[in-house]
Short mmCIF file of all heavy atoms in Angstrom, two decimals:
data_model
loop_
_atom_site.label_atom_id
_atom_site.label_comp_id
_atom_site.label_asym_id
_atom_site.label_seq_id
_atom_site.Cartn_x
_atom_site.Cartn_y
_atom_site.Cartn_z
N SER A 137 0.86 -1.20 -0.02
CA SER A 137 0.02 0.00 0.02
C SER A 137 0.89 1.23 0.00
O SER A 137 2.06 1.19 0.36
CB SER A 137 -0.94 0.02 1.22
OG SER A 137 -0.20 0.04 2.44
N ASP A 138 0.31 2.32 -0.43
CA ASP A 138 1.04 3.61 -0.46
C ASP A 138 1.12 4.13 0.96
O ASP A 138 0.11 4.35 1.64
CB ASP A 138 0.23 4.58 -1.36
CG ASP A 138 0.92 5.93 -1.44
OD1 ASP A 138 2.09 6.05 -1.08
OD2 ASP A 138 0.24 6.91 -1.84
N PRO A 139 2.37 4.39 1.46
CA PRO A 139 2.49 4.86 2.84
C PRO A 139 1.87 6.25 3.08
O PRO A 139 1.57 6.62 4.21
CB PRO A 139 3.99 4.90 3.05
CG PRO A 139 4.59 4.97 1.68
CD PRO A 139 3.66 4.23 0.81
N ILE A 140 1.67 7.03 2.03
CA ILE A 140 1.12 8.36 2.21
C ILE A 140 -0.40 8.36 2.22
O ILE A 140 -1.01 8.84 3.18
CB ILE A 140 1.64 9.31 1.09
CG1 ILE A 140 3.18 9.41 1.15
CG2 ILE A 140 1.00 10.69 1.21
CD1 ILE A 140 3.77 10.29 0.08
N SER A 141 -0.99 7.79 1.17
CA SER A 141 -2.44 7.80 1.09
C SER A 141 -3.09 6.56 1.75
O SER A 141 -4.28 6.56 2.07
CB SER A 141 -2.89 7.82 -0.38
OG SER A 141 -2.44 6.69 -1.06
N GLY A 142 -2.30 5.49 1.94
CA GLY A 142 -2.86 4.26 2.47
C GLY A 142 -3.59 3.41 1.50
O GLY A 142 -4.15 2.37 1.85
N MET A 143 -3.59 3.79 0.22
CA MET A 143 -4.33 3.08 -0.82
C MET A 143 -3.59 1.77 -1.16
O MET A 143 -2.35 1.72 -1.23
CB MET A 143 -4.50 3.92 -2.06
CG MET A 143 -5.31 5.18 -1.88
SD MET A 143 -5.35 6.21 -3.37
CE MET A 143 -6.21 5.14 -4.52
N HIS A 144 -4.38 0.72 -1.39
CA HIS A 144 -3.82 -0.57 -1.78
C HIS A 144 -3.25 -0.48 -3.19
O HIS A 144 -3.73 0.33 -4.01
CB HIS A 144 -4.93 -1.63 -1.73
CG HIS A 144 -4.46 -3.00 -2.13
ND1 HIS A 144 -3.59 -3.74 -1.36
CD2 HIS A 144 -4.72 -3.73 -3.25
CE1 HIS A 144 -3.37 -4.90 -1.99
NE2 HIS A 144 -4.05 -4.93 -3.14
N VAL A 145 -2.22 -1.22 -3.47
CA VAL A 145 -1.58 -1.21 -4.76
C VAL A 145 -1.84 -2.50 -5.55
O VAL A 145 -1.49 -3.60 -5.03
CB VAL A 145 -0.03 -1.00 -4.64
CG1 VAL A 145 0.63 -1.04 -6.04
CG2 VAL A 145 0.23 0.35 -3.97
N LEU A 146 -2.43 -2.37 -6.72
CA LEU A 146 -2.57 -3.51 -7.63
C LEU A 146 -1.33 -3.53 -8.52
O LEU A 146 -0.98 -2.53 -9.12
CB LEU A 146 -3.83 -3.30 -8.49
CG LEU A 146 -4.19 -4.34 -9.58
CD1 LEU A 146 -5.68 -4.31 -9.83
CD2 LEU A 146 -3.47 -4.07 -10.86
N ILE A 147 -0.65 -4.68 -8.56
CA ILE A 147 0.61 -4.81 -9.29
C ILE A 147 0.34 -5.51 -10.60
O ILE A 147 -0.20 -6.63 -10.64
CB ILE A 147 1.63 -5.59 -8.47
CG1 ILE A 147 1.85 -4.97 -7.08
CG2 ILE A 147 2.98 -5.66 -9.22
CD1 ILE A 147 2.72 -5.78 -6.16
N ALA A 148 0.69 -4.83 -11.73
CA ALA A 148 0.40 -5.35 -13.03
C ALA A 148 1.66 -5.35 -13.90
O ALA A 148 2.58 -4.54 -13.71
CB ALA A 148 -0.68 -4.53 -13.70
N ASP A 149 1.69 -6.22 -14.88
CA ASP A 149 2.78 -6.26 -15.88
C ASP A 149 2.79 -4.95 -16.62
O ASP A 149 1.75 -4.41 -16.98
CB ASP A 149 2.56 -7.39 -16.89
CG ASP A 149 2.77 -8.78 -16.24
OD1 ASP A 149 3.27 -8.82 -15.12
OD2 ASP A 149 2.42 -9.75 -16.92
N ARG A 150 3.98 -4.48 -16.98
CA ARG A 150 4.08 -3.25 -17.79
C ARG A 150 3.46 -3.50 -19.16
O ARG A 150 2.87 -2.56 -19.74
CB ARG A 150 5.54 -2.84 -17.93
CG ARG A 150 6.45 -3.92 -18.50
CD ARG A 150 7.86 -3.45 -18.77
NE ARG A 150 7.85 -2.46 -19.84
CZ ARG A 150 8.66 -1.40 -19.85
NH1 ARG A 150 9.50 -1.18 -18.86
NH2 ARG A 150 8.61 -0.56 -20.86
N ASP A 151 3.58 -4.73 -19.70
CA ASP A 151 2.98 -4.98 -21.03
C ASP A 151 1.47 -4.92 -20.95
O ASP A 151 0.81 -4.49 -21.94
CB ASP A 151 3.40 -6.37 -21.53
CG ASP A 151 4.90 -6.42 -21.83
OD1 ASP A 151 5.49 -5.33 -22.06
OD2 ASP A 151 5.47 -7.51 -21.84
N ALA A 152 0.84 -5.37 -19.87
CA ALA A 152 -0.62 -5.29 -19.74
C ALA A 152 -1.08 -3.86 -19.62
O ALA A 152 -2.21 -3.54 -20.01
CB ALA A 152 -1.06 -6.11 -18.50
N LEU A 153 -0.22 -2.95 -19.11
CA LEU A 153 -0.59 -1.55 -18.95
C LEU A 153 -0.19 -0.70 -20.14
O LEU A 153 -0.41 0.51 -20.15
CB LEU A 153 0.06 -0.97 -17.66
CG LEU A 153 -0.38 -1.66 -16.35
CD1 LEU A 153 0.49 -1.13 -15.22
CD2 LEU A 153 -1.83 -1.39 -16.08
N ALA A 154 0.47 -1.29 -21.11
CA ALA A 154 1.00 -0.54 -22.27
C ALA A 154 -0.06 0.31 -22.95
O ALA A 154 0.26 1.44 -23.41
CB ALA A 154 1.65 -1.51 -23.25
N PRO A 155 -1.33 -0.15 -23.09
CA PRO A 155 -2.32 0.75 -23.78
C PRO A 155 -2.57 2.07 -23.06
O PRO A 155 -3.19 2.99 -23.64
CB PRO A 155 -3.58 -0.12 -23.76
CG PRO A 155 -3.10 -1.52 -23.68
CD PRO A 155 -1.91 -1.45 -22.79
N LEU A 156 -2.08 2.25 -21.82
CA LEU A 156 -2.33 3.48 -21.09
C LEU A 156 -1.35 4.56 -21.47
O LEU A 156 -1.57 5.77 -21.13
CB LEU A 156 -2.24 3.23 -19.59
CG LEU A 156 -3.25 2.25 -18.96
CD1 LEU A 156 -2.98 2.09 -17.51
CD2 LEU A 156 -4.64 2.73 -19.23
N PHE A 157 -0.25 4.22 -22.17
CA PHE A 157 0.79 5.17 -22.45
C PHE A 157 0.87 5.49 -23.92
O PHE A 157 0.69 4.60 -24.79
CB PHE A 157 2.17 4.65 -21.95
CG PHE A 157 2.09 4.13 -20.54
CD1 PHE A 157 2.30 2.79 -20.26
CD2 PHE A 157 1.84 4.98 -19.47
CE1 PHE A 157 2.25 2.33 -18.97
CE2 PHE A 157 1.79 4.53 -18.20
CZ PHE A 157 2.00 3.21 -17.93
N PRO A 158 1.18 6.73 -24.28
CA PRO A 158 1.30 7.12 -25.73
C PRO A 158 2.40 6.32 -26.43
O PRO A 158 2.23 5.95 -27.60
CB PRO A 158 1.64 8.61 -25.67
CG PRO A 158 1.15 9.06 -24.33
CD PRO A 158 1.34 7.92 -23.40
N VAL A 159 3.50 6.09 -25.77
CA VAL A 159 4.60 5.27 -26.30
C VAL A 159 5.05 4.30 -25.24
O VAL A 159 4.80 4.53 -24.04
CB VAL A 159 5.76 6.15 -26.76
CG1 VAL A 159 5.37 7.09 -27.89
CG2 VAL A 159 6.35 6.94 -25.62
N PRO A 160 5.71 3.20 -25.59
CA PRO A 160 6.16 2.25 -24.56
C PRO A 160 7.09 2.88 -23.56
O PRO A 160 7.95 3.71 -23.90
CB PRO A 160 6.86 1.15 -25.38
CG PRO A 160 6.28 1.28 -26.77
CD PRO A 160 5.99 2.72 -26.95
N LEU A 161 6.95 2.48 -22.29
CA LEU A 161 7.85 2.94 -21.25
C LEU A 161 9.23 2.35 -21.48
O LEU A 161 9.35 1.21 -21.92
CB LEU A 161 7.33 2.53 -19.87
CG LEU A 161 6.07 3.26 -19.36
CD1 LEU A 161 5.68 2.66 -18.00
CD2 LEU A 161 6.33 4.74 -19.23
N PRO A 162 10.32 3.05 -21.15
CA PRO A 162 11.63 2.51 -21.32
C PRO A 162 11.92 1.35 -20.33
O PRO A 162 11.35 1.34 -19.21
CB PRO A 162 12.54 3.70 -21.01
CG PRO A 162 11.73 4.56 -20.12
CD PRO A 162 10.32 4.41 -20.57
N ARG A 163 12.73 0.46 -20.76
CA ARG A 163 13.15 -0.64 -19.87
C ARG A 163 14.09 -0.08 -18.83
O ARG A 163 14.96 0.71 -19.09
CB ARG A 163 13.84 -1.75 -20.65
CG ARG A 163 12.96 -2.43 -21.70
CD ARG A 163 11.97 -3.32 -20.98
NE ARG A 163 11.00 -3.93 -21.96
CZ ARG A 163 10.02 -4.76 -21.62
NH1 ARG A 163 9.83 -5.05 -20.34
NH2 ARG A 163 9.25 -5.25 -22.52
N GLY A 164 13.90 -0.47 -17.59
CA GLY A 164 14.75 0.02 -16.49
C GLY A 164 14.05 0.01 -15.20
O GLY A 164 13.00 -0.65 -15.03
N ASP A 165 14.58 0.74 -14.22
CA ASP A 165 13.99 0.74 -12.89
C ASP A 165 12.86 1.76 -12.81
O ASP A 165 12.50 2.43 -13.79
CB ASP A 165 15.07 1.08 -11.83
CG ASP A 165 15.75 2.42 -12.12
OD1 ASP A 165 15.23 3.22 -12.92
OD2 ASP A 165 16.84 2.65 -11.56
N ALA A 166 12.22 1.80 -11.63
CA ALA A 166 11.04 2.64 -11.45
C ALA A 166 11.35 4.11 -11.65
O ALA A 166 10.54 4.89 -12.16
CB ALA A 166 10.44 2.41 -10.07
N VAL A 167 12.58 4.55 -11.24
CA VAL A 167 12.95 5.96 -11.38
C VAL A 167 13.02 6.38 -12.84
O VAL A 167 12.48 7.43 -13.22
CB VAL A 167 14.31 6.22 -10.66
CG1 VAL A 167 14.74 7.66 -10.85
CG2 VAL A 167 14.19 5.92 -9.13
N SER A 168 13.63 5.53 -13.66
CA SER A 168 13.74 5.88 -15.07
C SER A 168 12.36 5.90 -15.74
O SER A 168 12.09 6.72 -16.60
CB SER A 168 14.67 4.88 -15.77
OG SER A 168 14.16 3.58 -15.73
N MET A 169 11.46 5.01 -15.36
CA MET A 169 10.14 5.02 -15.91
C MET A 169 9.35 6.25 -15.49
O MET A 169 8.58 6.82 -16.26
CB MET A 169 9.38 3.74 -15.53
CG MET A 169 9.90 2.48 -16.25
SD MET A 169 8.82 1.04 -16.04
CE MET A 169 9.12 0.63 -14.30
N LEU A 170 9.55 6.67 -14.23
CA LEU A 170 8.88 7.92 -13.76
C LEU A 170 9.38 9.13 -14.55
O LEU A 170 8.61 10.02 -14.87
CB LEU A 170 9.10 8.05 -12.27
CG LEU A 170 8.42 9.28 -11.63
CD1 LEU A 170 6.90 9.21 -11.80
CD2 LEU A 170 8.76 9.39 -10.11
N ARG A 171 10.69 9.16 -14.79
CA ARG A 171 11.24 10.26 -15.59
C ARG A 171 10.62 10.28 -16.97
O ARG A 171 10.36 11.37 -17.54
CB ARG A 171 12.74 10.14 -15.63
CG ARG A 171 13.46 10.45 -14.36
CD ARG A 171 14.94 10.18 -14.46
NE ARG A 171 15.64 10.46 -13.20
CZ ARG A 171 16.89 10.09 -12.95
NH1 ARG A 171 17.56 9.37 -13.87
NH2 ARG A 171 17.43 10.38 -11.82
N ALA A 172 10.45 9.11 -17.56
CA ALA A 172 9.80 9.04 -18.89
C ALA A 172 8.41 9.54 -18.84
O ALA A 172 7.96 10.25 -19.78
CB ALA A 172 9.85 7.62 -19.40
N LEU A 173 7.65 9.28 -17.79
CA LEU A 173 6.30 9.77 -17.65
C LEU A 173 6.30 11.28 -17.57
O LEU A 173 5.31 11.95 -17.96
CB LEU A 173 5.64 9.18 -16.41
CG LEU A 173 5.18 7.74 -16.46
CD1 LEU A 173 4.49 7.35 -15.14
CD2 LEU A 173 4.22 7.51 -17.63
N GLY A 174 7.36 11.86 -17.00
CA GLY A 174 7.41 13.30 -16.86
C GLY A 174 7.44 14.04 -18.18
O GLY A 174 7.20 15.25 -18.23
N GLU A 175 7.75 13.33 -19.27
CA GLU A 175 7.72 13.95 -20.59
C GLU A 175 6.30 14.31 -21.03
O GLU A 175 6.08 15.18 -21.89
CB GLU A 175 8.34 13.03 -21.63
CG GLU A 175 9.82 12.75 -21.34
CD GLU A 175 10.43 11.83 -22.38
OE1 GLU A 175 9.73 11.50 -23.37
OE2 GLU A 175 11.60 11.45 -22.19
N TRP A 176 5.28 13.63 -20.42
CA TRP A 176 3.89 13.97 -20.68
C TRP A 176 3.36 14.53 -19.36
O TRP A 176 3.21 13.82 -18.37
CB TRP A 176 3.12 12.71 -21.08
CG TRP A 176 3.68 12.10 -22.29
CD1 TRP A 176 3.51 12.46 -23.59
CD2 TRP A 176 4.48 10.87 -22.35
NE1 TRP A 176 4.19 11.61 -24.42
CE2 TRP A 176 4.79 10.62 -23.68
CE3 TRP A 176 4.98 10.01 -21.36
CZ2 TRP A 176 5.57 9.55 -24.08
CZ3 TRP A 176 5.77 9.00 -21.74
CH2 TRP A 176 6.04 8.77 -23.11
N GLU A 177 3.10 15.83 -19.35
CA GLU A 177 2.84 16.52 -18.12
C GLU A 177 1.69 15.86 -17.30
O GLU A 177 1.87 15.62 -16.10
CB GLU A 177 2.46 18.01 -18.43
CG GLU A 177 2.18 18.81 -17.18
CD GLU A 177 1.92 20.25 -17.54
OE1 GLU A 177 2.10 20.66 -18.69
OE2 GLU A 177 1.54 20.98 -16.60
N GLU A 178 0.62 15.55 -18.00
CA GLU A 178 -0.50 14.96 -17.23
C GLU A 178 -0.18 13.59 -16.65
O GLU A 178 -0.52 13.29 -15.48
CB GLU A 178 -1.76 14.85 -18.14
CG GLU A 178 -2.35 16.21 -18.54
CD GLU A 178 -3.58 16.03 -19.38
OE1 GLU A 178 -3.45 15.79 -20.58
OE2 GLU A 178 -4.70 16.15 -18.84
N LEU A 179 0.51 12.76 -17.44
CA LEU A 179 0.89 11.45 -16.97
C LEU A 179 1.91 11.55 -15.83
O LEU A 179 1.86 10.80 -14.84
CB LEU A 179 1.49 10.60 -18.10
CG LEU A 179 0.50 9.82 -18.95
CD1 LEU A 179 1.23 9.14 -20.12
CD2 LEU A 179 -0.25 8.79 -18.12
N GLY A 180 2.84 12.49 -15.94
CA GLY A 180 3.86 12.68 -14.89
C GLY A 180 3.21 13.00 -13.55
O GLY A 180 3.72 12.54 -12.51
N LEU A 181 2.13 13.74 -13.59
CA LEU A 181 1.48 14.10 -12.33
C LEU A 181 0.73 12.92 -11.70
O LEU A 181 0.37 12.94 -10.53
CB LEU A 181 0.44 15.26 -12.58
CG LEU A 181 1.10 16.58 -13.01
CD1 LEU A 181 -0.02 17.57 -13.33
CD2 LEU A 181 2.01 17.13 -11.93
N ARG A 182 0.47 11.89 -12.49
CA ARG A 182 -0.25 10.69 -12.01
C ARG A 182 0.70 9.62 -11.44
O ARG A 182 0.23 8.61 -10.94
CB ARG A 182 -1.07 10.05 -13.12
CG ARG A 182 -2.17 10.93 -13.68
CD ARG A 182 -3.20 11.32 -12.62
NE ARG A 182 -4.31 12.03 -13.17
CZ ARG A 182 -5.47 11.46 -13.53
NH1 ARG A 182 -5.61 10.16 -13.34
NH2 ARG A 182 -6.44 12.17 -14.04
#
């Protein structure tokens, strides 16, 4: 769960979530994927 909001986390394959992104997320750790999301302002905020 998220320590800040307390919300439960559903864990999914990146390939299953691919339709949610304009382009595929880069391979790598969570930090690099978050940086890639930052290129799309609305997605970066999510």
Side-chain angles (χ1 to χ4, degrees):
S137 60
D138 179 17
I140 298 177
S141 64
M143 296 176 64
H144 179 70
V145 177
L146 178 154
I147 305 173
D149 291 349
R150 56 174 293 143
D151 293 338
L153 298 173
L156 298 178
F157 310 115
V159 297
L161 290 177
R163 297 286 176 181
D165 57 16
V167 176
S168 63
M169 288 192 288
L170 181 61
R171 288 174 180 168
L173 285 182
E175 297 180 4
W176 303 283
E177 182 176 353
E178 291 183 281
L179 274 176
L181 296 175
R182 296 299 186 97

